Amino acid sequence: LGKTDQYLFYCLAMHLSATLERIRQGRPVINPQLESVKRNYRFEYELAREMISKIEARLGFTLPEDEAAFVAMYLHTVMNHHERKASVGVAVLSHGNVARGMADVANRLLGVDHAVGLEMALDEKPETALEKAKELVQKIDRGKGVLLLIDMGSFLSFGEIITRETGIPTLTVDRVDTLMVVEAVRLSLLDDSDLETIARRLQ
């Protein structure tokens, strides 16, 4: 690619770890975009095949063709990062001083500034927090909706209300932790990502 990319390094490391775990468990690795990737991202796909062959030789695993397509999607994202416009926004909502820290860790690991944290004071009224969350969603929406990663409680109903009042699609995943935020950001930066797929993967 002609450059070293910290985002790509962490994304591929996490993705490979998850893939190997699926193989160990005997679960299939299926990429529904396989034929589309082979057709539209030819350079990235050939490079990915090369990378996969080195991984197989190093780790002693045989990886399916679908995995090369996943790697190619990451390569394409990095190569065209400056051109990307639409993506899924990631908002982390928590009670107390937690959300901003998780968002910051995820952003730093992946070398981006994508996740945003919103913290609700323990004595803050839910109505006030809802207004802040609505403003945040409107600010970070990038054309594909916003994923709300929440810790618990009153935030569960925020997504439905925000979508009704703003028209911006949202989905909510609860019991957030730092690893979930990292994974959400990683998936949201893929060109072919969408809100429902990311939420389903996290759940």
Side-chain angles (χ1 to χ4, degrees):
L1 299 179
K3 60 181 176 179
T4 302
D5 192 284
Q6 190 77 344
Y7 158 75
L8 179 64
F9 175 82
Y10 279 107
C11 286
L12 288 180
M14 291 179 64
H15 178 76
L16 180 61
S17 175
T19 297
L20 294 178
E21 186 60 31
R22 289 185 72 90
I23 292 173
R24 288 189 187 100
Q25 294 174 358
R27 296 159 64 199
V29 176
I30 300 172
N31 188 338
Q33 305 292 328
L34 175 60
E35 294 305 320
S36 173
V37 169
K38 289 168 69 175
R39 183 172 60 253
N40 298 317
Y41 307 158
R42 293 182 182 179
F43 171 75
E44 295 94 326
Y45 182 73
E46 288 306 312
L47 183 55
R49 288 285 299 270
E50 213 175 307
M51 294 168 70
I52 291 295
S53 67
K54 292 181 183 297
I55 292 169
E56 290 177 330
R58 180 73 177 267
L59 299 181
F61 278 86
T62 299
L63 300 174
E65 191 177 23
D66 299 72
E67 178 62 18
F70 279 121
V71 172
M73 289 163 68
Y74 285 112
L75 296 176
H76 178 78
T77 297
V78 167
M79 291 172 64
N80 298 277
H81 198 267
H82 62 286
E83 298 174 6
R84 295 180 66 258
K85 294 179 182 177
S87 63
V88 175
V90 177
V92 187
L93 280 60
S94 74
H95 296 78
N97 302 324
V98 180
R100 290 194 183 100
M102 288 192 284
D104 185 54
V105 169
N107 286 335
R108 284 173 178 266
L109 279 176
L110 299 177
V112 296
D113 188 20
H114 193 75
V116 181
L118 177 65
E119 297 167 349
M120 176 180 173
L122 298 179
D123 58 352
E124 188 173 347
K125 293 182 179 179
E127 295 82 5
T128 304
L130 174 59
E131 282 305 309
K132 290 180 180 177
K134 184 164 70 173
E135 290 176 11
L136 177 62
V137 166
Q138 290 174 310
K139 181 180 178 181
I140 69 173
D141 176 46
R142 302 181 182 184
K144 287 188 171 185
V146 176
L147 184 66
L148 303 178
L149 304 179
I150 70 168
D151 56 357
M152 59 182 179
S154 55
F155 293 135
L156 277 170
S157 62
F158 279 19
E160 184 179 344
I161 298 170
I162 291 170
T163 296
R164 185 170 66 242
E165 294 184 1
T166 67
I168 298 172
T170 64
L171 285 177
T172 302
V173 180
D174 63 357
R175 298 185 180 183
V176 62
D177 59 24
T178 304
L179 184 60
M180 181 190 289
V181 182
V182 173
E183 181 71 355
V185 173
R186 178 178 78 85
L187 294 171
S188 70
L189 294 173
L190 290 174
D191 284 340
D192 298 319
S193 67
D194 64 79
L195 193 56
E196 291 186 6
T197 301
I198 296 173
R200 188 167 59 246
R201 289 277 295 273
L202 296 178
Q203 289 168 336

